[in-house]
Amino acid sequence: GFLRRHCADSEEQRKAEDCGGQHDTTTVPTREITLALVHVLIATDAQYVLDDVIAALGTPDTSFSVCRDGRDVTDAVKKRTPDIAVLDLQVGSMGAMATTMNLRLDESGGRLPRVPVVMLLDRVADVHLARRSGADGWLVKPIDSLRVRRAVSEVRAGRTWHESASPVVQHR
């Protein structure tokens, strides 16, 4: 893959590394690139999900690997172990459930280090998939920056983050 920066505004620059598959964002010229303190792997083929997660977690100290296909996640982890993975439930031919199970199997076999996973679910009925796959946390879409930051913070700290419904559903 190649390294590029995502610029949301003039104050904030973010690094992202493509980990294979189709990629449709443009390379933005940057100043010197430094090693980020937090590395986030995002697996999604939905541009709005990618934009929302990067907007929620992006800081000058955060870098991102972006996989447009769940089958690319294992190779991305082998190249650079992320501090956390944010996986969309529906991604191409291998969604978050299968990807998380694959990561857990590779971890138990000693082939990969443990990668904390936050899963982005499409509906409340998908909670059982997140539980069974071994995800450390999950959010029900639609997502918002505050909930994404809280979930990632809790999971990175070794705790869990489990939602049984999105706030939109909870407040009806």
Side-chain angles (χ1 to χ4, degrees):
F2 63 93
L3 196 63
R4 70 185 190 290
R5 287 205 186 249
H6 290 273
C7 298
D9 55 52
S10 60
E11 296 295 317
E12 189 173 301
Q13 293 184 343
R14 299 175 203 115
K15 293 183 290 292
E17 183 177 295
D18 182 29
C19 62
Q22 296 296 318
H23 193 69
D24 58 4
T25 58
T26 58
T27 301
V28 177
T30 64
R31 288 175 267 146
E32 184 178 331
I33 296 174
T34 58
L35 188 61
L37 299 176
V38 177
H39 186 66
V40 180
L41 185 146
I42 305 170
T44 185
D45 57 3
Q47 188 64 43
Y48 79 94
V49 171
L50 178 61
D51 293 343
D52 288 350
V53 173
I54 288 175
L57 302 177
T59 70
D61 295 329
T62 305
S63 64
F64 299 92
S65 290
V66 178
C67 296
R68 298 289 186 166
D69 190 317
R71 294 176 296 181
D72 298 328
V73 169
T74 299
D75 288 338
V77 170
K78 287 177 183 175
K79 286 180 188 173
R80 181 173 181 194
T81 303
D83 297 297
I84 191 151
V86 179
L87 310 177
D88 197 357
L89 185 65
Q90 300 293 327
V91 181
S93 62
M94 187 173 176
M97 181 182 177
T99 301
T100 303
M101 291 175 74
N102 196 38
L103 289 172
R104 296 297 175 248
L105 287 171
D106 284 345
E107 172 195 343
S108 68
R111 292 178 294 278
L112 288 177
R114 175 150 181 83
V115 176
V117 171
V118 171
M119 196 177 289
L120 305 178
L121 306 177
D122 294 323
R123 56 201 177 119
V124 175
D126 297 327
V127 167
H128 75 282
L129 298 174
R131 271 197 191 102
R132 292 196 45 122
S133 67
D136 301 288
W138 54 81
L139 299 154
V140 179
K141 291 187 265 182
I143 60 174
D144 62 72
S145 291
L146 179 61
R147 290 173 40 238
V148 171
R149 282 193 303 270
R150 287 171 128 180
V152 167
S153 177
E154 289 296 308
V155 170
R156 282 197 64 227
R159 296 181 288 269
T160 59
W161 182 269
H162 300 161
E163 288 185 349
S164 58
S166 73
V168 173
V169 174
Q170 292 171 358
H171 292 90
R172 285 189 182 167

